[in-house]
């Protein structure tokens, strides 16, 4: 299976977590890493090139820091521009049908803060419902998310463990995910 990781971090050079995840993936075969902010610093997205890239992969992982309970702005724009009517949905819009879509996020808040009784009042899974709905709308299969929380307090050992876990997540056999 060919995997595509679409990374959307506005300042990857200053990121400890997302940068480490991308470094870990760089040695994986069958994994293409695509950094939106590096490729599109002017935010002018090449829609045809992006659609061709999606068509060439079976699993797409969106990797980003969790921003105000959502995606960074360029990833939202990418969704709007690339997943077009007649291509991703609507009549003739079947190019994403059956593909797997996952999300890998880093959060500043602790895991406990993303609970119904925690500071944020919602779980990460609940807050990722817009991406789950997007996958459903374009007839793709959403796979459970991958996350690391409390990023400002992650130790070097925890970061190394998360890199190894992320590689396993990206390469995981589809049968382990419940649909």
């Amino acid at each position: 299976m060919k995997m595509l990781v679409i990374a959307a971090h506005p300042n990857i050079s200053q990121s400890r977590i997302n940068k480490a995840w991308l470094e870990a993936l760089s040695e994986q075969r069958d994994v293409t890493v695509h950094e939106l902010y590096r490729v599109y610093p002017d935010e002018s997205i090449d829609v045809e090139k992006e659609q061709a890239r999606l068509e060439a992969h079976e699993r797409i992982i969106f990797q980003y820091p969790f921003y105000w309970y959502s995606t960074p702005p360029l990833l939202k724009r990418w969704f709007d521009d690339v997943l077009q009517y007649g291509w991703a949905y609507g009549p003739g819009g079947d190019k994403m049908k059956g593909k797997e879509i996952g999300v890998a996020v880093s959060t500043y808040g602790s895991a406990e803060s993303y609970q119904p009784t925690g500071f944020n009042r919602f779980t990460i899974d609940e807050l990722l419902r817009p991406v789950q709905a997007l996958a459903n709308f374009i007839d793709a299969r959403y796979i459970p998310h991958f996350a690391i929380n409390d990023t400002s307090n992650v130790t070097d050992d925890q970061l190394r463990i998360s890199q190894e876990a992320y590689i396993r997540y990206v390469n995981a056999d589809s049968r382990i995910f419940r649909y």
Side-chain angles (χ1 to χ4, degrees):
M1 174 181 286
K2 291 186 68 171
M3 282 81 61
L4 172 63
V5 174
I6 297 176
H9 195 298
N11 194 358
I12 195 72
S13 66
Q14 297 299 311
S15 169
R16 183 168 171 245
I17 305 300
N18 281 265
K19 184 167 64 172
W21 284 353
L22 294 181
E23 287 169 359
L25 291 176
S26 69
E27 299 176 16
Q28 300 299 302
R29 61 182 186 89
D30 294 330
V31 177
T32 302
V33 173
H34 181 49
E35 294 181 59
L36 292 183
Y37 280 92
R38 185 180 57 75
V39 174
Y40 300 117
D42 62 353
E43 298 186 13
S44 181
I45 297 169
D46 185 334
V47 172
E48 288 182 12
K49 192 179 265 186
E50 293 300 311
Q51 289 174 341
R53 185 175 284 116
L54 289 171
E55 288 181 34
H57 294 84
E58 292 86 27
R59 178 178 292 160
I60 296 95
I61 306 295
F62 296 104
Q63 176 189 319
Y64 55 93
F66 208 43
Y67 270 41
W68 288 104
Y69 309 104
S70 188
T71 65
L74 185 55
L75 182 55
K76 171 60 169 95
R77 181 177 182 150
W78 185 96
F79 290 146
D80 293 343
D81 291 355
V82 175
L83 302 178
Q84 294 180 346
Y85 179 82
W87 185 85
Y89 66 97
D94 61 355
K95 302 301 187 285
M96 296 296 291
K97 183 176 183 165
K99 293 188 183 285
E100 295 177 349
I101 291 180
V103 174
V105 293
S106 56
T107 73
Y108 186 79
S110 67
E112 295 77 26
S113 73
Y114 288 101
Q115 300 300 319
T117 57
F119 178 80
N120 295 298
R121 301 285 183 222
F122 298 95
T123 66
I124 292 288
D125 192 54
E126 290 170 319
L127 294 168
L128 290 174
R129 291 282 158 81
V131 180
Q132 294 175 34
L134 176 149
N136 181 64
F137 190 72
I138 62 175
D139 211 13
R141 297 184 297 173
Y142 182 80
I143 61 176
H145 71 274
F146 180 86
I148 189 168
N149 304 103
D150 199 15
T151 57
S152 63
N153 292 309
V154 170
T155 66
D156 290 344
D157 283 342
Q158 289 170 323
L159 181 56
R160 182 187 47 74
I161 290 167
S162 81
Q163 286 176 297
E164 294 167 0
Y166 188 42
I167 289 169
R168 286 191 303 275
Y169 169 78
V170 170
N171 288 304
D173 186 323
S174 298
R175 294 172 292 183
I176 69 165
F177 298 118
R178 293 185 205 144
Y179 296 111

